[in-house]
Amino acid sequence: MNENRKDYDVVVVGGGPAGLSGALALSRARRSVLVVDAGRPRNAPAEGAHNYLGLDGVPPLQLLAAGRKEVTGYGGEVVTGRVVSARRRDEGGFDVRLEDGTGYGARRLLVTTGLVDELPPVPGVAELWGRDVLHCPYCHGWEVRDRAIGILATGPQAVHQALMWRQWSDDVALFLHTGPEPSEEQYTELAARGVAVVDGEVERLETEGGRLTGVRLKGGPGGAGVVRPADALVVAPRFTAVADVLASLGLEAADQEAFGTVVGSAVPSDATGATGVPGVWAAGNVTDIMAQVVTSAADGLRAGSMINADLIAEEVRLAVAAAS
């Protein structure tokens, strides 16, 4: 570790809405703060972030640029890089190491590294992710309202997705693909809501001009499958926590389940963001796979305020000891 490293009250690992919100609160509390961010936000492909009161539809990169400006305006620092590990010092605090070998010291850590969306391996899905291939109706439902929406079934949550997205369009088709066969009750519910059920496995997505036009089903031996028109396709990614830094401190991600199946992983933390390692907090998608942009920002603010309170308590104890 570089002996000339700079020490901070708090190093924030990850500069998305959670990390920048926590850094903003801490900078305004007159703490020395460093945000380390790789500059590859999960929602970069999206045209806008939604349900952020007062900023609905703001382009994700514009939101982050504004956040960085606010943090640095209060004396916080932001550097581009990727933290690969952290370790606790014997005398207290943490050493943080970046991919390029740079090291920093911190009295406390706030980890907001987010998650990775592991997408179904259907040709075209990854290329259209965040634009015409979607997963969250509250993030994108309004934008594809009244259009042809397909649901790609890869697990037991597909029927729930189809019935959910039916709220935004009356043209919804459930592609059974590799998902389980719906139950008799589920077939009844889908039919009652006018959701078409399409048998067969999906081969690939059809595009024109870089936008989705249809979903091609696998055909028989030597034959091309049927193409069903679609303007948007809903998928169910596996939400995997980016938890390498936390793992280096002994904090392992735990499986998250829904509909009786594992849908992702997250690092456990309490309601304030505190983890099982004293001095380490987590916020945003790394600890809550369902957090949207505004939720992550709120989590970061709460964690930042709790970190400041913890530092104040430590400083009071040291001051009392010094005065004794």
Side-chain angles (χ1 to χ4, degrees):
M1 188 67 67
N2 186 350
E3 293 301 326
N4 296 317
R5 67 171 184 266
K6 186 173 180 179
D7 285 5
Y8 295 85
D9 288 327
V10 184
V11 170
V12 180
V13 185
L20 290 173
S21 186
L24 181 61
L26 287 159
S27 297
R28 283 176 52 83
R30 309 188 73 177
R31 296 296 179 185
S32 60
V33 179
L34 174 69
V35 179
V36 183
D37 183 56
R40 295 189 292 271
R42 174 190 175 210
N43 62 353
E47 293 180 357
H50 295 283
N51 295 313
Y52 203 127
L53 187 62
L55 291 173
D56 184 64
V58 61
L61 296 181
Q62 180 179 316
L63 176 64
L64 298 185
R68 293 188 197 102
K69 184 177 180 180
E70 290 171 352
V71 169
T72 56
Y74 288 103
E77 299 178 36
V78 180
V79 299
T80 299
R82 189 175 76 87
V83 175
V84 293
S85 66
R87 70 173 185 86
R88 180 183 291 280
R89 297 175 182 170
D90 293 337
E91 67 275 20
F94 302 89
D95 287 320
V96 176
R97 185 171 64 85
L98 275 60
E99 193 171 38
D100 65 2
T102 304
Y104 297 100
R107 296 170 65 191
R108 302 291 186 273
L109 293 180
L110 174 55
V111 180
T112 62
T113 42
L115 59 79
V116 171
D117 299 292
E118 297 182 4
L119 301 172
V122 173
V125 165
E127 292 80 358
L128 296 176
W129 175 240
R131 292 184 294 132
D132 297 333
V133 176
L134 315 167
H135 82 280
C136 171
Y138 298 104
C139 303
H140 304 287
W142 176 264
E143 284 62 45
V144 296
R145 66 194 184 281
D146 299 325
R147 305 184 75 182
I149 302 173
I151 312 296
L152 184 69
T154 54
Q157 69 270 46
V159 170
H160 170 77
Q161 287 179 296
L163 295 173
M164 176 81 75
W165 282 82
R166 176 61 179 79
Q167 173 67 22
W168 282 266
S169 176
D170 59 7
D171 187 356
V172 176
L174 172 61
F175 292 88
L176 292 184
H177 189 50
T178 60
E181 180 82 9
S183 67
E184 184 176 341
E185 179 182 4
Q186 288 174 326
Y187 269 121
T188 299
E189 292 172 344
L190 292 166
R193 289 292 283 156
V195 175
V197 178
V198 182
D199 289 318
E201 191 170 342
V202 171
E203 180 179 327
R204 67 175 186 270
L205 304 187
E206 298 289 330
T207 62
E208 184 175 331
R211 303 309 299 248
L212 178 66
T213 58
V215 177
R216 180 177 293 277
L217 299 170
K218 288 185 176 180
V226 173
V227 176
R228 185 181 179 98
D231 300 307
L233 184 72
V234 176
V235 302
R238 190 182 193 279
F239 306 113
T240 301
V242 180
D244 293 352
V245 174
L246 291 165
S248 70
L249 292 163
L251 291 165
E252 297 295 334
D255 286 344
Q256 306 293 295
E257 294 189 3
F259 301 96
T261 189
V262 174
V263 296
S265 62
V267 175
S269 66
D270 69 14
T272 72
T275 70
V277 173
V280 180
W281 275 256
N285 287 133
V286 72
T287 189
D288 179 4
I289 64 173
M290 300 303 293
Q292 297 185 43
V293 173
V294 69
T295 317
S296 292
D299 288 347
L301 170 60
R302 179 169 54 236
S305 64
M306 292 298 101
I307 291 171
N308 186 55
D310 189 53
L311 287 168
I312 289 173
E314 178 181 81
E315 289 158 357
V316 170
R317 289 194 300 271
L318 292 173
V320 169
S324 299

